[in-house]
Amino acid sequence: MAGAPLGEIVYSSVIPMIRMYMIIGSGFFLTRKGYFGVTAARAFSDMVMMIFMPSLVFDKIVSYISISDIKTIGVICFCAFIMYLINSCIAILIVYFTPIPKNSNNRWVGGALLAGIMQNVSDLPISYIQAVTIFSLDQQNKGTAYVIIWLAMYVLVQFNCGLFKLVEWDFEYKDKLDRSEEHTSELQSQDGI
């Protein structure tokens, strides 16, 4: 990109975000007009997660990753592991030192930890790779395949390793606290009789 005009660089970096905001805006508009309800949103979300995303993964992995890329895949997995470890440490520090709701009625510690640990690994990187004009089509497809390997690490960490339970942790804490308060008030009412 050496020697490229500044306007072209800015345009190629902004266009993926414009595309995504146009998609979000069209969904917002369709929902406001009543054309796109909760059931339709759920159906489209399921269709993307069950059909389109696995199809993209299969196409990119089978077509553009070979056995000679095993070292690169190992580096991607190792970097993802290190990044999740660093993100965990930083998220713990942020949760500890900032005014994130930690009280019993309004707890968001697990959600904040999950938001700090996980990052955007699929839509924006793929959009940027597809939009940058200095890459050839083959390089764009191989880059998308590498992003999908990163996405596989994301899915492994969040779902298989159980990080999604961090959000559940806040609700379990609140439910446990509510049950103990009910039990305490029950005991107090029995003592008063």
Side-chain angles (χ1 to χ4, degrees):
M1 214 154 208
L6 181 62
E8 185 179 328
I9 295 170
V10 171
Y11 176 76
S12 66
S13 65
V14 171
I15 196 70
M17 288 189 291
I18 292 172
R19 277 191 223 152
M20 293 191 73
Y21 283 118
M22 286 177 64
I23 292 169
I24 292 168
S26 63
F28 181 77
F29 175 76
L30 290 172
T31 303
R32 282 285 187 193
K33 290 292 183 184
Y35 300 126
F36 197 69
V38 174
T39 55
R42 177 72 180 173
F44 277 112
S45 178
D46 287 346
M47 187 171 58
V48 166
M49 293 304 292
M50 302 292 187
I51 297 170
F52 295 142
M53 185 63 97
S55 299
L56 175 70
V57 168
F58 183 76
D59 175 57
K60 296 302 178 189
I61 296 294
V62 169
S63 302
Y64 296 99
I65 297 289
S66 65
I67 196 70
S68 63
D69 294 322
I70 196 75
K71 187 172 23 170
T72 306
I73 292 170
V75 169
I76 290 170
C77 294
F78 180 71
C79 289
F81 174 75
I82 295 297
M83 193 171 88
Y84 289 129
L85 194 64
I86 292 169
N87 287 355
S88 303
C89 295
I90 293 171
I92 289 169
L93 290 172
I94 288 171
V95 166
Y96 185 74
F97 288 112
T98 60
I100 290 173
K102 299 174 184 101
N103 60 1
S104 56
N105 294 332
N106 203 10
R107 187 173 173 88
W108 194 65
V109 173
L113 285 172
L114 185 65
I117 294 169
M118 305 318 264
Q119 73 284 339
N120 189 337
V121 295
S122 60
D123 47 4
L124 275 179
I126 289 173
S127 294
Y128 277 115
I129 289 172
Q130 299 293 327
V132 174
T133 57
I134 63 167
F135 297 131
S136 68
L137 184 62
D138 194 41
Q139 289 173 328
Q140 288 177 352
N141 289 327
K142 188 169 268 295
T144 303
Y146 289 155
V147 171
I148 289 172
I149 299 293
W150 198 277
L151 176 65
M153 290 300 296
Y154 174 89
V155 170
L156 179 77
V157 168
Q158 183 164 356
F159 296 109
N160 294 9
C161 295
L163 274 184
F164 69 94
K165 291 190 175 193
L166 286 173
V167 175
E168 188 179 324
W169 181 39
D170 292 334
F171 294 105
E172 286 176 355
Y173 181 83
K174 175 89 168 84
D175 290 344
K176 185 178 176 183
L177 189 70
D178 290 344
R179 282 194 302 270
S180 77
E181 286 176 358
E182 286 175 8
H183 183 66
T184 304
S185 65
E186 202 174 277
L187 288 174
Q188 288 174 351
S189 67
Q190 287 177 356
D191 289 343
I193 295 177

